[in-house]
Amino acid sequence: MQLGSLRQLTVGSFVLALVPLIALLWQSQNDLAKVGQMASVETRYVVNVVGLMQQLDGAAIDLERTLRQYAIIQNDTVAELTDSALRQFVDAKEDLCSTIAGSETCSLLDKQIAQLKNFRSIQDQLLLNAYLASLGSGVSAMRGDVEKAIQQRLAIQQDDLNAMQAKQAWSTAMLVSVSLLLILLGSQLIVNPVKKLKQIIRILAQQQGELPPLSTQAPKELIGVERDLHWLAERLQQLEHIRTALLRHAAHELKTPLASIKEGCSLLSENVVGHLNPQQAEVLTLLSSSTQRLNTLVEKLLDYNLLLQQAQPTFSDVNPHQMVKDCLGDYALALQEREVTVDIKVASIYVDEELYRRILDNLISNAVAHGAVGRPINMTIYNKGKNTILDVANRGKRIPQEKVAKLFEPFTRGDDPRNDNVIGTGLGLSIVSDCARLMHGDVAVVDVDYADVCFRVAIPQKENFNE
């Protein structure tokens, strides 16, 4: 299954991640509306109950005033006012009791009202005072019931708000988690193909391993880039085959006529075909020198071709003392006029023996060719951090900084003349760089206080290869 375009995937993932947040916003709006409705209902209830209680208080005051007036005046007009005050009190009590359910004070007030309805027959002032005091106590008790009812409603409202808050917190946590998971899922659909592209680029750069198959579940733009990288890998492989074949065939074809020329020069120099005059001997000397120079170029070309074909180095523990001894032995004639200083501070190194020997050969050859005649060459092998360092330093003309960057490119030669009669191929330092790269290391020109030119090769040891 192929995903849509990168833009569609990005927009779709963004919209999909917004769905839980929209649901959370919708739920929050509903809860806010419920809270507003609840607050409105409770506010109306409190206002209504407080208003009814105030009406009851006012009716109780009016009733007490008219009863006391009737106790003094006792005429029909005051009696009618008292009956009217009683009805108002009863109406206010009924309204309040219907609002406050389950109040025991309502039945108490009913008994007290029944006693006061016979106010015409009450002649004792003390009895009337007792009835009125009892009525005042009942009204005070009703006021307490009103406060209690309001507190109960507020407590219920608070419980509802707490439950709603807990539900909101739980919903928020769940929906935000879902949104984050969707975001991670959407980003992973983009990150995985990008990681695969990085893996392909790394394989192309290191020229190691097979390319993974084309993705089927990725945005079409990234699949297009991956397809282009596969095409580039095939093209690079074709060019690599052409280059190695060209070097191999060219070097091989040059060997045959070169051998014939060398054999002819040997026959002439041994006077097999007759004695040579001094002019002919001089020409033969030049011809032999040119033949030897051409043979060196062919050998360098074959060596570089062999290095290009060696993609997988073989690492092992190598004795650096013996390797350096063998290397210096090969250059004994060139080094007999120079004071060579060798300082090896490690017992063994973990390298590819053939590649490391090529590094030593080419660096020593470079130091002999470009170092000052009669001046020492320093070679040091030591550990620094997680790497084994090889320093080969010589005295002579310093390398300009602007030429250091191109120094390790193939077929790049220095401008200064060599100390020997061999014309360089410009492959020596390139071979050093490629050998170091195959062993996961690198080479650089560094500044030291004891020499004018120092090449430093850093090779990571075996515990660092998997990092």
Side-chain angles (χ1 to χ4, degrees):
M1 180 184 67
Q2 180 176 339
L3 300 176
S5 66
L6 188 59
R7 176 180 297 177
Q8 291 174 350
L9 179 59
T10 304
V11 174
S13 301
F14 180 74
V15 172
L16 191 62
L18 282 180
V19 170
L21 299 180
I22 293 174
L24 179 61
L25 180 61
W26 176 78
Q27 182 180 353
S28 300
Q29 291 294 330
N30 286 342
D31 291 342
L32 186 61
K34 290 179 181 179
V35 170
Q37 184 179 4
M38 186 185 304
S40 177
V41 170
E42 295 302 321
T43 302
R44 287 198 301 269
Y45 174 80
V46 171
V47 171
N48 185 33
V49 170
V50 171
L52 293 176
M53 188 64 222
Q54 290 178 348
Q55 291 179 6
L56 184 64
D57 286 336
I61 293 173
D62 292 340
L63 178 60
E64 182 179 359
R65 184 179 64 251
T66 55
L67 285 173
R68 292 189 181 280
Q69 289 178 354
Y70 181 79
I72 297 172
I73 302 175
Q74 293 186 356
N75 58 21
D76 294 337
T77 303
V78 178
E80 290 178 0
L81 290 175
T82 302
D83 290 334
S84 176
L86 274 171
R87 286 192 299 271
Q88 290 180 1
F89 184 82
V90 170
D91 292 340
K93 188 268 301 180
E94 293 295 335
D95 292 340
L96 186 57
C97 288
S98 62
T99 304
I100 302 176
S103 177
E104 296 179 355
T105 308
C106 292
S107 58
L108 177 62
L109 288 176
D110 290 336
K111 294 179 181 179
Q112 294 170 351
I113 291 171
Q115 292 174 349
L116 292 175
K117 283 183 179 179
N118 299 321
F119 66 91
R120 291 181 175 83
S121 61
I122 299 175
Q123 301 297 329
D124 190 355
Q125 185 67 30
L126 293 177
L127 181 61
L128 179 61
N129 291 336
Y131 285 160
L132 292 175
S134 178
L135 180 64
S137 299
V139 172
S140 298
M142 180 59 71
R143 190 179 298 110
D145 290 344
V146 169
E147 293 179 357
K148 183 178 179 181
I150 292 175
Q151 293 298 328
Q152 288 177 349
R153 293 290 293 263
L154 291 177
I156 294 173
Q157 182 182 10
Q158 186 63 41
D159 292 340
D160 292 341
L161 289 176
N162 291 337
M164 194 176 298
Q165 234 175 2
K167 178 184 176 183
Q168 184 71 22
W170 177 82
S171 300
T172 301
M174 183 185 68
L175 293 175
V176 169
S177 300
V178 171
S179 181
L180 289 176
L181 288 176
L182 292 175
I183 292 174
L184 291 176
L185 177 62
S187 62
Q188 200 67 24
L189 292 176
I190 300 175
V191 170
N192 285 339
V194 173
K195 286 183 177 179
K196 191 174 181 181
L197 293 178
K198 291 178 63 178
Q199 179 187 3
I200 294 175
I201 294 173
R202 191 179 299 111
I203 292 175
L204 290 178
Q206 298 177 354
Q207 298 181 357
Q208 296 179 354
E210 294 291 333
L211 294 182
L214 283 173
S215 301
T216 56
Q217 297 182 359
K220 59 182 182 182
E221 291 90 349
L222 298 183
I223 291 180
V225 174
E226 188 176 346
R227 187 179 295 109
D228 291 342
L229 288 176
H230 276 261
W231 174 84
L232 178 61
E234 295 176 358
R235 184 59 178 166
L236 289 176
Q237 190 174 10
Q238 293 174 0
L239 294 176
E240 184 69 18
H241 288 163
I242 294 173
R243 182 179 66 169
T244 54
L246 177 62
L247 290 174
R248 183 171 62 251
H249 291 301
H252 178 74
E253 294 299 327
L254 287 174
K255 279 285 186 178
T256 301
L258 183 61
S260 299
I261 295 174
K262 291 179 64 177
E263 183 65 24
C265 291
S266 177
L267 292 175
L268 290 175
S269 63
E270 294 174 0
N271 297 319
V272 174
V273 295
H275 293 280
L276 303 177
N277 58 41
Q279 291 82 6
Q280 291 172 335
E282 183 179 359
V283 172
L284 179 61
T285 302
L286 294 176
L287 181 62
S288 298
S289 176
S290 299
T291 304
Q292 183 62 34
R293 196 160 55 242
L294 181 59
N295 184 68
T296 302
L297 291 175
V298 173
E299 289 178 354
K300 286 287 186 180
L301 198 60
L302 287 173
D303 190 51
Y304 186 63
N305 182 49
L306 182 62
L307 175 64
L308 292 177
Q309 295 178 0
Q310 182 176 357
Q312 293 294 337
T314 301
F315 292 92
S316 61
D317 290 321
V318 178
N319 184 357
H321 297 271
Q322 186 61 40
M323 181 182 291
V324 171
K325 180 180 178 182
D326 295 340
C327 180
L328 296 181
D330 293 342
Y331 290 90
L333 293 177
L335 295 173
Q336 63 184 359
E337 298 179 358
R338 290 172 168 80
E339 179 185 354
V340 180
T341 303
V342 180
D343 187 9
I344 302 176
K345 299 181 181 179
V346 291
S348 64
I349 54 178
Y350 189 72
V351 295
D352 183 295
E353 185 172 3
E354 179 65 24
L355 294 178
Y356 206 77
R357 176 60 187 272
R358 291 185 184 184
I359 291 176
L360 290 175
D361 286 340
N362 283 281
L363 288 181
I364 289 296
S365 175
N366 185 77
V368 171
H370 296 283
V373 178
R375 301 297 302 280
I377 298 173
N378 298 89
M379 178 187 297
T380 308
I381 300 178
Y382 58 96
N383 285 332
K384 183 177 181 181
K386 298 180 179 180
N387 298 326
T388 292
I389 307 298
L390 166 65
D391 285 349
V392 178
N394 61 269
R395 280 74 177 170
K397 189 176 181 180
R398 291 183 178 272
I399 301 174
Q401 189 64 34
E402 62 272 9
K403 295 185 179 181
V404 171
K406 296 183 178 181
L407 199 60
F408 300 100
E409 296 181 0
F411 307 105
T412 299
R413 297 195 301 266
D415 298 330
D416 300 329
R418 295 168 60 97
N419 297 327
D420 49 22
N421 295 323
V422 178
I423 298 177
T425 61
L427 289 175
L429 293 178
S430 175
I431 292 175
V432 171
S433 177
D434 290 336
C435 289
R437 175 182 55 81
L438 288 174
M439 291 187 290
H440 315 290
D442 57 16
V443 59
V445 179
V446 298
D447 294 329
V448 293
D449 55 0
Y450 58 87
D452 298 315
V453 178
C454 179
F455 289 91
R456 175 167 296 172
V457 180
I459 306 297
Q461 293 306 283
K462 52 187 174 183
E463 63 270 12
N464 303 317
F465 289 156
N466 296 326
E467 294 183 359

